[in-house]
Amino acid sequence: ARAGPGGIGGGDFSDLPFGQPNAFRLNLGFSQALYAGGRIAAQQRLAGVARAVADRSLTSARAQLVLDATQAFYDAALSERLVAIAEASLQQAEAIVAQVELSYKAGRAPEFEWLRARVARDNQRPNVIRAKANRTFAHLRLKQLLEVPSTQAVTVTADLDDETLEPPARFADRLARVAAAPAGQTALGRAPVEQAASAVRAREEAVRIARAQRLPYVSLNSALGEVAYAGLPGFDDWRTNWTVGASVQIPLFTGGRLKADQISAGAALA
């Protein structure tokens, strides 16, 4: 054979990709799993469990926030009542001191009784200071949860005289359902229990995924490409290349990794 002006042996190879100054390629690939040993379905269920856990965690966090705010509200109301009790006790101690002092000056009471009344009054003053400090802390905690500026005044009104206080409206319906639940099923609706059950289901799916890694993976593959070798290709310069095939992947030797994954998933489930 000899090289002619158009190529080897006089053939024209100008349209071939070899040695072209420019090459333009547009590719579109497609892959569809046909058989994966159940790992894809297990991964979907695992994702669903993770979404359910996240939803329950969000619901639990919101409920905990409402509970904390409610508790802070009643703590502030109780601190108000304790301040009032401490101040009333101090006033009573002041009145006792004044009464004993009059009796002492009139000669009807010893000096020791007057001194003891003064000591009891002085011991009551730290209780008032402590109650006011607890009230300030309770109000600051309530303002923090409600995102109220610390300088803004807050008035807490609650009826604490009833021995059987009604639950807040946010919790009344939930508490009623818990009270009406049969014995042994009260804890089923609690968020921590549901999260634990979801965690068990997630571990079970992880075990299925680890077992499925030992099975073959069969997929259908297709690729559609457009190729052009012109300097600036036009619409008529593109050539179509379409391939369709299938692939099978079988793990023959992984150095014990699949076995270790399966043992680890089983231990996590246990």
Side-chain angles (χ1 to χ4, degrees), residues 81 85 158-165:
R81 178 62 59 87
I85 293 174
D159 184 11
L160 301 179
D161 296 329
D162 191 357
E163 296 181 358
T164 57
L165 290 174

Side-chain angles (χ1 to χ4, degrees), residues 201-217:
R201 291 195 297 270
R203 297 300 184 182
E204 291 174 348
E205 300 301 335
V207 171
R208 294 188 180 93
I209 294 174
R211 291 175 179 174
Q213 291 180 355
R214 293 177 171 272
L215 301 177
Y217 181 83

Side-chain angles (χ1 to χ4, degrees), residues 14-17 20-27 225-241:
S14 60
D15 293 336
L16 295 179
Q20 297 293 333
N22 301 298
F24 300 89
R25 302 179 185 273
L26 299 177
N27 296 319
E226 295 289 337
V227 183
Y229 303 105
L232 185 61
F235 290 102
D236 298 334
D237 297 329
W238 294 93
R239 299 184 179 184
T240 303
N241 184 26

Side-chain angles (χ1 to χ4, degrees), residues 87-107:
E87 291 178 344
S89 300
L90 178 61
Q91 293 176 359
Q92 183 179 6
E94 292 280 3
I96 293 175
V97 169
Q99 182 180 1
V100 174
E101 183 180 4
L102 292 176
S103 299
Y104 167 71
K105 291 180 179 180

